[in-house]
Amino acid sequence: METKTEEKKLPERKRTFKIEANSYDVEFPNTGQLLEIEILKVQLARGQYNEITNAGTINSNYSRLLIDMIAVFTVLFPQLKKDMNVKTISELKVEDSKKLLQLYVKEILPWMNLWMDVMNSDDEDEIK
């Protein structure tokens, strides 16, 4: 009996996201951008990222998602600040942050998680 191996496909490297009237073509972060996102998370949390993550409260979970979202948007969507007329993403009004957070949780985070699953896989043949 012949066994067929299923060829695994990488997630889309580039995606387009629509935020209000603007569209943003975004590529999955390169190595430096991945590091920059993680460093920015710790900076935004003032060194307390793990404590916020482990607090387990409704507010801490929301705050952690905001931190993650701000870091990702800052690195991968550099034009967004200008388009939203702010110096930093963290200056957005809470209602604008909520809209971005919904996009982040529903579209951006799942896409990035697909990539991170590949990157964290032990399967040497998976990355092609």
Side-chain angles (χ1 to χ4, degrees):
M1 183 185 264
E2 188 177 314
T3 306
K4 267 191 168 179
T5 57
E6 184 179 322
E7 185 177 319
K8 297 178 182 179
K9 292 185 178 183
L10 290 175
E12 297 173 271
R13 181 166 300 281
K14 190 174 190 179
R15 294 270 318 263
T16 300
F17 298 100
K18 187 167 176 57
I19 300 172
E20 297 190 359
N22 300 305
S23 290
Y24 301 88
D25 293 327
V26 177
E27 283 194 46
F28 184 77
N30 63 33
T31 302
Q33 289 172 316
L34 283 172
L35 294 173
E36 191 176 342
I37 289 168
E38 293 305 311
I39 290 166
L40 189 52
K41 288 178 186 181
V42 173
Q43 289 174 341
L44 288 166
R46 296 188 179 147
Q48 301 297 309
Y49 187 82
N50 286 336
E51 287 76 5
I52 291 170
T53 300
N54 294 330
T57 66
I58 292 172
N59 290 341
S60 67
N61 291 334
Y62 188 79
S63 295
R64 184 194 52 83
L65 280 173
L66 279 175
I67 289 167
D68 292 355
M69 177 206 71
I70 291 168
V72 167
F73 278 114
T74 298
V75 174
L76 298 184
F77 296 72
Q79 180 65 30
L80 181 62
K81 295 180 291 192
K82 183 178 178 188
D83 293 343
M84 297 195 84
N85 200 28
V86 292
K87 290 180 189 173
T88 66
I89 302 296
S90 59
E91 290 179 355
L92 290 171
K93 293 179 182 175
V94 292
E95 54 272 19
D96 292 330
S97 289
K98 182 179 179 184
K99 290 176 190 175
L100 287 182
L101 189 60
Q102 288 173 335
L103 173 71
Y104 176 74
V105 169
K106 290 179 182 176
E107 296 184 39
I108 298 167
L109 187 57
W111 170 63
M112 292 185 74
N113 283 342
L114 286 173
W115 272 102
M116 295 315 297
D117 288 345
V118 170
M119 304 315 296
N120 288 311
S121 171
D122 288 338
D123 187 357
E124 293 177 13
D125 296 330
E126 190 162 347
I127 302 174
K128 291 187 179 182

